[in-house]
Amino acid sequence: MQQRADAEASAADILFVDQFDGPALDPSKWNVEGPEFWVNNEQQAYVDAPDTIQLLPAGAISGAEDGVLVLKPQFRKGFRTPSGRTADFVSGRINTRDKFDFTYGTASARIKMPDAAGVWPAFWLLGYGDWPASGETDIMEYVGEKDWVGVAMHGPGYSGETPLVNKYYFPDDTDVTDWHVYSVERSPDQLLFKIDGRPIYRVTRPMVEHYGKWVYDRPEYIILNFALGGAYPSKINGIERPYNGLPVETVERIKNGDIAMYVDWVRVTGEAADAE
């Protein structure tokens, strides 16, 4: 059984934790991104709205330890962004930019996701500055095939179709629709990705420097988001209609309110002196 987030710091300091127990998202910890942000031909626009970013109380979602953050895409036919782009979906994306970041330590989140082709929820870290020189650490990406999730690193010389990527296939008795703890341990010379405490991929400084500069000796902040369709899902499923990477079955489930990403808690542990 997973222990509470605040009970696992016997060997390390808690640098950041949110168990989503309050009535609303804590603005001292999180920023909410809006519709001006758009990448990867994703089919949604991000909005700050109670139907896309919700907090549910303890007991509302089976298996959760406390309150739960819910990122939930919604169908909004013809939604217009400030830039003039039209999207038929809205969804949620939050980050800790300028509120919390860290260089070395372990970032973890306990997450439950839907079985739905073309969805693209993610838990990741991003550095400050221009991408990809800023560095990006994808702790968990899911593109709608419930038996696996991906991890990846992007930086100068190894971005986009990065060679520093790995898929983790779940054992037969579980998949993404169950609760799992996704994490990465950042240290001066390597990053170690884990699921439920089990190492699944290790990236060392020499592996990175074979392709480009090591940029993981500087702070990165936390991002949680729920994208729909776009470049990565379409590459996996080949779907173009009714939306790029997003099939009609998933569209109908979004309309019915049947698609969501649940986050039980997020925490970062490490030596306090390493926090930025």
Side-chain angles (χ1 to χ4, degrees):
M1 177 181 294
Q2 298 295 335
Q3 299 179 5
R4 289 175 57 92
D6 58 359
E8 297 183 352
S10 59
D13 295 319
I14 292 180
L15 307 180
F16 176 93
V17 65
D18 198 338
Q19 297 183 169
F20 304 111
D21 286 334
L25 194 69
D26 186 344
S28 72
K29 296 178 178 179
W30 299 99
N31 307 298
V32 178
E33 298 199 38
E36 64 280 356
F37 181 86
W38 184 52
V39 292
N40 301 320
N41 198 35
E42 295 169 4
Q43 298 301 295
Q44 84 294 329
Y46 290 119
V47 297
D48 184 356
D51 56 351
T52 60
I53 303 172
Q54 309 168 1
L55 262 62
L56 298 180
I61 302 297
S62 177
E65 298 165 3
D66 294 288
V68 175
L69 167 69
V70 184
L71 299 183
K72 190 169 186 176
Q74 306 285 341
F75 186 74
R76 293 285 188 275
K77 181 69 175 178
F79 179 87
R80 296 278 291 180
T81 72
S83 66
R85 181 172 72 94
T86 299
D88 287 345
F89 306 90
V90 295
S91 191
R93 173 173 165 137
I94 63 174
N95 69 62
T96 65
R97 181 185 178 99
D98 297 323
K99 295 182 176 180
F100 172 79
D101 50 50
F102 75 107
T103 300
Y104 303 126
T106 300
S108 304
R110 188 169 187 252
I111 299 173
K112 175 182 173 71
M113 293 177 290
D115 176 10
V119 299
W120 192 1
F123 167 46
W124 49 300
L125 308 175
L126 188 63
Y128 295 93
D130 294 333
W131 188 92
S134 56
E136 174 182 329
T137 306
D138 298 330
I139 306 169
M140 182 282 297
E141 285 187 284
Y142 167 55
V143 290
E145 294 187 346
K146 69 176 183 176
D147 60 338
W148 67 272
V149 293
V151 299
M153 293 169 62
H154 301 267
Y158 48 98
S159 61
E161 296 290 336
T162 175
L164 301 170
V165 62
N166 191 52
K167 291 181 179 179
Y168 171 77
Y169 287 89
F170 290 96
D172 291 341
D173 60 347
T174 188
D175 56 42
V176 301
T177 64
D178 298 314
W179 288 106
H180 296 285
V181 175
Y182 302 93
S183 63
V184 65
E185 296 179 4
R186 291 167 55 96
S187 58
D189 294 306
Q190 70 173 32
L191 275 73
L192 180 62
F193 297 85
K194 296 182 178 182
I195 295 180
D196 298 328
R198 175 184 300 175
I200 65 164
Y201 188 48
R202 185 192 316 270
V203 179
T204 65
R205 183 188 287 261
M207 290 170 63
V208 169
E209 291 179 341
H210 180 74
Y211 299 100
K213 186 178 179 182
W214 175 267
V215 292
Y216 305 96
D217 52 0
R218 61 190 72 174
E220 293 187 345
Y221 57 90
I222 302 167
I223 302 175
L224 289 160
N225 69 285
F226 199 140
L228 296 171
Y232 196 176
S234 66
K235 182 177 71 173
I236 297 298
N237 60 35
I239 293 169
E240 292 297 333
R241 296 183 180 182
Y243 300 94
N244 179 237
L246 195 64
V248 66
E249 295 84 0
T250 299
V251 173
E252 292 304 312
R253 291 179 60 195
I254 293 170
K255 291 179 180 179
N256 292 332
D258 188 35
I259 301 291
M261 172 188 185
Y262 300 106
V263 185
D264 195 4
W265 47 256
V266 177
R267 73 166 179 269
V268 177
T269 59
E271 296 298 326
D274 290 333
E276 299 291 339

